[in-house]
Amino acid sequence: MNDPAKLSATGRRAMAARDWNTVGLCGIELKRTAPGNAEGPFFLGVAQKAAGQPKLASQYFTEALQLDEKRYDAAIELAFQDVLLNRHAEARELVDRYRSQLGNSPLYLDLAGQACMRMSLYQDARDLFEKALELQPGIEAFLANLAACVVYLGDIETAGSIYRKLLRKHPGHQRYHYELAQLKRATDDEHVRQMEAALRKTAAEPARNIFLYYALGKELEDLERWDESFDYYRKGGDAARSTMNYKVEADIDVMDTVIETCSADWLQRDAAAEPTHPAPVFVVGLPRTGTTLTDRILSSHSSVDSAGETQLLQMVLRQLGGAAFGAEPTPSLIRQAAGQPAASVAEGYLQAIAYRLGEAPWFIDKLPENVLYLGFVAKAWPNAKMVHLRRNPMDACFAMYKQSYFRFAYSLDDLARYYLAYDRLSRHWREVLGERLVEVEYERLVADQENETRQLLERLDLPFEEACLHFERNVAPVATASSVQVREKVHTRSVGKWKKYEQHLEPLKEALVAGGVAV
C-alpha cells in the first residue's frame, strides 16, 4: 500500500489502538513514497515517543514541522519531548507560538498543559487543562491533570472536589486515594475506612498497593494511631523496594567521590571569576528538612524570585561529564565533570534556566539533591549563595521514610547508611566552603521564625522585608511534597515527631549513633 491517504488513515487508526509498531511502519512507508508529507516523520516521532526515545522523537517532530509549519500536533509533541530533554526555553516558545491553534483539540490542549506542568508554568497549565475540559467535559485524565496542577497553585478545595468525584466513579483507584490523603490533615477515619475497603477488595500483591499503604500511613498518623500508621509505612517501603533493583552503595560511592574530588585545592583551580546577574541562590539539604519553607520565605522578598526545583544543574553536569541523557550520577561522571571549565557550568545552566527568570537580581533553585553539587556551584559562581538546611537526623530520616518518593529511604538500613554518607558530605562542605555556606537549622527556624529569618537575610546580604515573615501569603506555585503545608503559617508540629515511633525506629537510631551522629 503506497497511497498516502490510506497510509495516513491506517497510521491514525494504529495510533488510536496504541499499535506503535504499525504507526512506525506507516511512517517509514510515507517517508519513502511521499517525502514531502509531514505525516511520515510525525508517525515516526510518535513511534519513538512510545519507545521512550525523546532525542529521536524530537528529530522526527522537528522534521514534520519543517515540512508543514502549521502542524500544531507536531509542535506540541516536540515541545513535550523538549521538556523531557530539559530544553525548556524551546518548549515554552513552541507552546506559546501554537497555543492559539489548539482551540479545537482537547488532546493537544492537555498535552500542552502537561508540558507546562513539567516546566513549572502552573497557571498556564491550568488554563490549558480547563480549556480541554470545556471541549470534552468529564475526561478523567484531563480532570486528574487539573487536580494535580491546582494543588501546586494552592487551590486545595478544587483538587479535593475533583479527586472525590473521580473516586465516586473509581472507589478503588489507589493514586486518587493517595493524592486526596495529601491535601489536608485527617480529622476522622471516614477516608481510612474507604481505603481499607479498597485494599480488601483488590486482594492484590503488596507491590500493587504501594500508594494505598502510604496514604493509610499518612491519615492514621494524622489520627495519632501511631502503631497502625507505622505498619502501613513499613508495608509501603517494603513493597516499593521489592519493585526496584536499588543498591544504596551506588549513592554512597557518588557522595564519597564528591568528597574526594571536590577538594579545597580543586575549588581554587580555574574557578569562574565573573559574577552573574541575575545570580543564583541554591537552597539544598536532604528532602523534607525545610528547603521548601526556606524557599518560600526568601522568595517573598522583593529582590528574589524562585525557579522552584529544577534538574538543570544536573543536566549541565551530565552533558559536561559525557553522560547519556537521564543518566544517574556516577563516580565517573563526577570526575569527568570536575575536569571541565567552571565557566561552562555557569554558562550552560544560565542559558537553560533563562526562560524562568524575571527581573529580580536573585533567583532560587531549591532542588534538595543539589547538595551533592555545592562544590560545582561555588566554583562556577563567585557570587552564588548556598543555603543548606539541617534538621534533627531522626526527624529528617523519618520524614523521608514515610514518603513514596525516595528510593534510599524504603528501608531503615538503607536510610541509615545513606544518612551517614550525607553527614560526611555535609561536614566536607562546611570545611571547604567555610563562610560561603549558610546553614539553617529547621528546628530553630520554626521556633523563632522572625529572628532566624532576619539572620538568614543578613547572611545573604539582603535587607529585611516584612513580607518574608508572611510566606503563607505568597501566591507563587509550589511543586514539592510540601506544597500543601507551606500554605499554612509556620508551626512546630513536626519537631520531634519521630519519638511517637521510637520503638519502631530503634534500629535506625542505633545505626546513626554507631556512625557518630548525635540524635
Side-chain angles (χ1 to χ4, degrees):
M1 179 174 63
N2 55 16
D3 183 335
K6 291 182 178 179
L7 282 167
S8 178
T10 300
R12 292 285 165 174
R13 287 194 297 271
M15 283 177 59
R18 304 176 67 82
D19 179 359
W20 310 121
N21 184 59
T22 299
V23 173
L25 291 173
C26 289
I28 292 171
E29 190 63 15
L30 274 166
K31 273 180 66 71
R32 185 182 69 82
T33 60
N37 191 331
E39 194 85 328
F42 177 78
F43 283 163
L44 287 168
V46 169
Q48 292 300 328
K49 170 187 173 181
Q53 298 293 328
K55 286 187 176 180
L56 286 173
S58 175
Q59 292 171 13
Y60 284 123
F61 291 133
T62 298
E63 182 182 348
L65 270 183
Q66 289 170 345
L67 291 171
D68 185 353
E69 64 178 9
K70 296 180 181 179
R71 288 290 296 258
Y72 65 79
D73 52 354
I76 300 306
E77 294 282 9
L78 176 58
F80 194 82
Q81 299 308 303
D82 280 342
V83 171
L84 296 181
L85 293 165
N86 281 315
R87 298 196 293 242
H88 289 184
E90 293 90 334
R92 182 171 189 176
E93 191 277 329
L94 282 166
V95 171
D96 288 346
R97 187 179 359 143
Y98 285 89
R99 183 170 178 171
S100 64
Q101 301 179 36
L102 305 179
N104 292 315
S105 178
L107 176 67
Y108 282 104
L109 283 163
D110 179 73
L111 187 61
Q114 292 181 56
C116 287
M117 279 268 286
R118 288 172 177 259
M119 291 186 284
S120 302
L121 304 172
Y122 297 108
Q123 187 57 57
D124 288 327
R126 179 176 191 164
D127 294 343
L128 289 159
F129 292 142
E130 288 179 340
K131 180 62 175 176
L133 283 162
E134 286 178 16
L135 296 174
Q136 280 191 292
I139 299 298
E140 292 176 23
F142 299 171
L143 283 167
N145 286 337
L146 176 60
C149 179
V150 298
V151 170
Y152 300 146
L153 291 167
D155 191 351
I156 306 305
E157 291 303 316
T158 295
S161 176
I162 292 173
Y163 285 127
R164 285 188 291 271
K165 177 180 179 180
L166 291 170
L167 282 167
R168 284 194 292 271
K169 187 172 183 179
H170 300 288
H173 197 293
Q174 297 207 8
R175 189 61 186 257
Y176 298 157
H177 280 298
Y178 176 85
E179 298 295 348
L180 183 61
Q182 309 310 308
L183 296 182
K184 63 179 182 179
R185 288 170 57 82
T187 56
D188 59 53
D189 68 352
E190 179 182 0
H191 190 211
V192 168
R193 288 185 281 108
Q194 292 172 0
M195 290 189 288
E196 288 175 336
L199 198 57
R200 289 192 299 270
K201 189 171 183 179
T202 63
E205 60 185 18
R208 298 176 65 86
N209 293 326
I210 294 170
F211 285 112
L212 271 180
Y213 290 150
Y214 280 109
L216 279 161
K218 187 267 180 190
E219 292 211 0
L220 288 165
E221 178 181 333
D222 291 342
L223 298 172
E224 301 185 357
R225 291 160 61 175
W226 313 118
D227 291 342
E228 294 171 82
S229 168
F230 189 86
D231 186 50
Y232 278 116
Y233 286 144
R234 179 185 54 76
K235 287 178 178 178
D238 289 348
R241 201 175 191 283
S242 74
T243 67
M244 303 172 59
N245 183 25
Y246 171 70
K247 301 293 184 185
V248 72
E249 290 85 359
D251 284 332
I252 294 172
D253 286 347
V254 170
M255 285 188 271
D256 286 342
T257 300
V258 169
I259 293 170
E260 174 189 337
T261 305
C262 300
S263 64
D265 289 340
W266 172 83
L267 278 170
Q268 299 304 316
R269 294 196 303 269
D270 303 316
E274 296 297 325
T276 60
H277 302 283
V281 180
F282 285 88
V283 177
V284 304
L286 285 175
R288 313 298 290 158
T289 57
T291 55
T292 301
L293 172 61
T294 303
D295 170 82
R296 300 296 281 184
I297 290 171
L298 292 176
S299 63
S300 298
H301 196 283
S302 61
S303 295
V304 184
D305 285 335
S306 177
E309 294 188 353
T310 86
Q311 304 281 338
L312 299 178
L313 179 60
Q314 296 181 26
M315 177 198 75
V316 171
L317 293 174
R318 192 183 297 122
Q319 291 172 344
L320 293 173
F325 168 76
E328 296 285 347
T330 63
S332 175
L333 188 156
I334 296 298
R335 296 188 188 100
Q336 289 290 330
Q340 303 303 312
S344 298
V345 177
E347 180 182 353
Y349 173 83
L350 290 172
Q351 286 179 352
I353 204 169
Y355 82 102
R356 292 293 311 279
L357 303 184
E359 298 300 320
W362 296 93
F363 70 92
I364 298 171
D365 187 327
K366 65 128 300 198
L367 187 71
E369 292 84 346
N370 280 335
V371 68
L372 191 64
Y373 306 112
L374 287 181
F376 293 93
V377 171
K379 193 168 182 175
W381 288 281
N383 61 334
K385 310 292 187 182
M386 293 169 283
V387 181
H388 179 215
L389 270 293
R390 299 173 60 189
R391 186 179 182 184
N392 172 274
M394 291 296 292
D395 271 333
C397 286
F398 179 58
M400 292 183 290
Y401 180 74
K402 63 184 183 179
Q403 297 293 329
S404 62
Y405 312 120
F406 310 118
R407 63 184 186 177
F408 56 83
Y410 291 140
S411 79
L412 296 181
D413 180 65
D414 283 353
L415 183 53
R417 297 176 64 193
Y418 186 95
Y419 187 92
L420 290 173
Y422 156 78
D423 185 63
R424 291 195 296 275
L425 180 65
S426 298
R427 286 186 274 112
H428 173 72
W429 291 141
R430 287 182 206 116
E431 179 180 347
V432 301
L433 298 177
E435 291 299 315
R436 290 197 64 185
L437 184 65
V438 178
E439 295 205 279
V440 176
E441 292 188 14
Y442 173 79
E443 288 80 7
R444 294 178 63 175
L445 180 60
V446 297
D448 187 2
Q449 182 199 352
E450 179 169 353
N451 185 51
E452 292 298 310
T453 296
R454 286 180 179 275
Q455 290 188 39
L456 173 60
L457 293 173
E458 182 178 353
R459 291 201 62 188
L460 296 178
D461 299 319
L462 290 168
F464 175 76
E465 290 185 0
E466 190 75 21
C468 295
L469 301 181
H470 303 288
F471 64 88
E472 73 280 1
R473 301 175 187 171
N474 189 335
V475 297
V478 187
T480 75
S482 304
S483 58
V484 175
Q485 293 94 313
V486 295
R487 305 292 179 181
E488 304 174 330
K489 292 184 178 181
V490 71
H491 61 78
T492 60
R493 290 195 303 266
S494 297
V495 175
K497 177 66 73 71
W498 76 271
K499 293 180 181 178
K500 303 293 185 181
Y501 299 87
E502 188 163 10
Q503 176 184 352
H504 303 288
L505 295 174
E506 189 62 30
L508 173 65
K509 179 181 177 181
E510 290 179 355
L512 294 182
V513 171
V517 172
V519 300

